[in-house]
Amino acid sequence: MARRSNGRGWNSKLVGAALGVTLLATGASVWTAQAGAADGSSPEATAPASPGSDVRPTAVTIAHASDAGTRGINITIDDGPDPEWTPQVLDVLREYGVKATFCMVGPQAEAHPDLVKKVVADGHRLCDHSVSHDTTMDKKSEAYQSQQILDAERMITKASGGVRPMYYRAPGGAFTPYSRKLAASRGMRPLGWNVDSKDFERPGTDAIVATVERELPNGPTLLFHDAGGDRAQTVEALRRALPRLKEQGYSFGFPVR
């Protein structure tokens, strides 16, 4: 997975807000990018739940596959929720009957609990995307990684009205064996991606759609964004790509758990 730059204008504001809250090919018919763990652990490996925890642990390996099968696609939406763009993304998904996984940044969820609840009410899944969106998390201490993951989990769960995130996506793909094990022990499957739509760079709607179609043989999990700036191109790209993918015989599901 390509690491995205941490030099975002919006991220500096997020970090400040977060610290105020806490101390703080086969071809398209068969997917081959069913990723394993960075440390070589088996797909079946799970992390033990913490003592007294009522959450069910999940696999520590990074998920890419779709539960919709060999022609399944996972739409994943990162960095929100955002009061302007998340409702528009939800409208497009609803229009085409597509469910997605929303990877939320903790303070964003805390600031917009109505949108978190709307995402859940529409049948989408939640994913923990950390507190500060720090793409250098893998270079930080375990204590810092723990704070970023667990505080965001708490914020998202509270904002949703009690619905816990089912996945953890490290910002920029900055997973570590420790962060994967911790997330899995909380019932959050580490979540990767196969296709980066590059929508964050705002290259134009045509370019976003072309990237998705070109890279789709790499695997089923697609990465888009609903925050971090003007996401009008993302909304329009989804509006174009979703019906086109359906016409090509693809179905939409969730990342494997």
Side-chain angles (χ1 to χ4, degrees):
M1 297 179 290
R3 179 165 301 191
R4 300 195 300 276
S5 170
N6 197 35
R8 305 178 178 180
W10 73 280
N11 190 50
S12 61
K13 297 178 182 179
L14 244 183
V15 171
L19 292 176
V21 175
T22 66
L23 287 179
L24 330 183
T26 59
S29 62
V30 179
W31 302 115
T32 59
Q34 315 303 319
D39 61 356
S41 58
S42 69
E44 292 76 21
T46 59
S50 57
S53 174
D54 60 353
V55 299
R56 183 176 180 181
T58 187
V60 302
T61 49
I62 300 172
H64 291 77
S66 177
D67 65 8
T70 57
R71 297 285 287 181
I73 290 175
N74 306 320
I75 301 296
T76 64
I77 313 289
D78 280 20
D79 296 357
D82 179 272
E84 181 172 3
W85 302 110
T86 302
Q88 295 185 49
V89 169
L90 288 172
D91 286 346
V92 174
L93 294 172
R94 189 181 309 110
E95 179 179 356
Y96 295 106
V98 172
K99 304 303 181 186
T101 300
F102 283 77
C103 299
M104 297 184 174
V105 176
Q108 291 291 108
E110 190 170 59
H112 306 291
D114 55 327
L115 290 177
V116 182
K117 292 180 176 68
K118 182 62 175 174
V119 166
V120 171
D122 280 6
H124 306 292
R125 288 184 179 178
L126 302 177
C127 171
D128 179 336
H129 200 35
S130 83
V131 171
S132 303
H133 201 283
D134 182 354
T135 59
T136 66
M137 274 182 63
D138 55 339
K139 304 296 191 295
K140 304 293 179 62
S141 69
E142 291 183 354
Y144 176 82
Q145 295 176 53
S146 177
Q147 174 262 320
Q148 287 285 310
I149 295 169
L150 298 182
D151 281 7
E153 178 195 11
R154 174 181 55 77
M155 293 175 186
I156 295 167
T157 302
K158 182 178 179 180
S160 72
V163 178
R164 299 182 63 258
M166 299 178 69
Y167 308 92
Y168 166 66
R169 172 173 278 168
F175 288 102
T176 66
Y178 174 80
S179 68
R180 290 187 294 103
K181 183 177 180 180
L182 175 63
S185 74
R186 298 294 303 160
M188 298 183 291
R189 179 75 185 266
L191 176 59
W193 65 83
N194 305 104
V195 179
D196 183 350
S197 71
K198 304 294 185 182
D199 66 326
F200 198 88
E201 300 171 7
R202 290 183 284 181
T205 299
D206 290 344
I208 296 170
V209 174
T211 296
V212 169
E213 293 182 336
R214 182 180 65 252
E215 301 295 332
L216 193 54
N218 291 337
T221 300
L222 279 56
L223 171 63
F224 297 92
H225 299 82
D226 63 343
D230 187 333
R231 301 272 71 90
Q233 293 178 10
T234 299
V235 173
E236 183 58 28
L238 287 168
R239 196 182 307 279
R240 293 188 198 177
L242 296 182
R244 191 175 303 180
L245 292 169
K246 282 192 169 185
E247 289 170 2
Q248 295 172 11
Y250 293 101
S251 56
F252 296 89
F254 294 110
V256 294
R257 290 265 302 154

